[in-house]
Amino acid sequence: MKKETTRKCIVTGEIFEKEDLLRFTILEDNMVVPDFKKKLPGKGVYVKNSKKTLEKAISNNLFAKAAKKPAKADKELVTQVENILFKHALNAISLARKAGVMVSGMDKVKEAIKKNIVAFLLEAEDAGSDGHNKIMSMAKNIEIFNLFKIEELDKELAKDNTVHLAFTKSTMANSVRETFVRLTSFLND
């Protein structure tokens, strides 16, 4: 029997692949909580991976309507979800470094680009224009994410002045990219 991989968003009514949705569970006390790892008991309730869509689900009490029972979705749920996705993406960077599929620093990133081994780049949101322009001129067809500040990257990697990161082509890099895409979609959709 084939496993079902799609679910319906309670806000838009559209059918999406599970990885394009946020999964929530309603606990016994009727509180709506994120259940992205599908570990909590109860039926999942799905919302499109979008901050605006989640805000609409909360403001229109759509969790209760979808579950056909009382459900309390705290207004802080949006911030909670954003923090979970943000932390998951930061953790993925650390895992990539430990796996040896990430290099940091302008010189190492340039070298990886020249060797054509870069799957995608991460540039700090607050990167200087000089470094940004250098990377942009070299990374013509390479996807670049801007999700974190230098301070956040420094803290996660226990380094100083972490501005540019390159992720080398690998299965691990694909997994990291998925976490970045998920966070980007949530913030920008």
Side-chain angles (χ1 to χ4, degrees):
M1 185 173 184
K2 190 177 177 186
K3 200 172 187 180
E4 193 175 343
T5 62
T6 59
R7 293 287 184 267
K8 186 177 185 179
C9 171
I10 65 168
V11 179
T12 67
E14 296 172 271
I15 305 292
F16 292 98
E17 292 294 322
K18 285 183 183 178
E19 61 266 11
D20 297 325
L21 294 161
L22 301 168
R23 185 181 196 274
F24 298 90
T25 298
I26 302 168
L27 300 177
E28 287 182 19
D29 64 357
N30 295 326
M31 288 302 297
V32 177
V33 295
D35 186 21
F36 302 157
K37 294 185 180 184
K38 301 171 190 127
K39 301 270 187 202
L40 298 173
K43 185 178 177 196
V45 180
Y46 293 85
V47 175
K48 179 182 171 187
N49 181 34
S50 158
K51 189 174 190 173
K52 289 177 189 169
T53 307
L54 180 55
E55 288 168 345
K56 189 172 183 178
I58 294 167
S59 66
N60 293 342
N61 198 28
L62 297 179
F63 287 102
K65 290 177 187 172
K68 297 180 177 119
K69 67 179 190 177
K72 294 179 258 175
D74 192 303
K75 293 202 183 303
E76 292 300 311
L77 186 61
V78 174
T79 302
Q80 185 182 8
V81 167
E82 185 173 336
N83 289 340
I84 290 169
L85 295 175
F86 184 83
K87 186 63 180 161
H88 190 232
L90 274 175
N91 288 341
I93 295 169
S94 291
L95 291 173
R97 181 183 69 175
K98 289 174 186 168
V101 299
M102 183 213 79
V103 296
S104 63
M106 181 63 83
D107 292 338
K108 289 179 183 176
V109 169
K110 280 185 189 176
E111 185 179 322
I113 292 171
K114 285 179 186 174
K115 289 180 179 177
N116 195 30
I117 60 171
V118 176
F120 62 91
L121 299 169
L122 175 64
E123 180 181 59
E125 289 177 338
D126 48 350
S129 60
D130 184 46
H132 172 74
N133 292 337
K134 284 179 188 175
I135 287 295
M136 291 304 288
S137 69
M138 293 184 71
K140 302 231 184 283
N141 296 316
I142 300 173
E143 185 175 24
I144 301 174
F145 291 93
N146 302 90
L147 296 168
F148 310 101
K149 297 190 180 328
I150 294 170
E151 181 181 336
E152 294 163 335
L153 293 170
D154 286 350
K155 184 177 178 186
E156 186 64 29
L157 297 171
K159 295 182 108 185
D160 289 326
N161 202 27
T162 309
V163 181
H164 297 98
L165 305 173
F167 296 82
T168 56
K169 296 173 184 174
S170 63
T171 304
M172 179 66 174
N174 293 341
S175 178
V176 174
R177 183 185 175 281
E178 286 174 18
T179 67
F180 288 0
V181 168
R182 190 164 172 85
L183 176 58
T184 302
S185 294
F186 180 77
L187 296 173
N188 300 323
D189 192 17

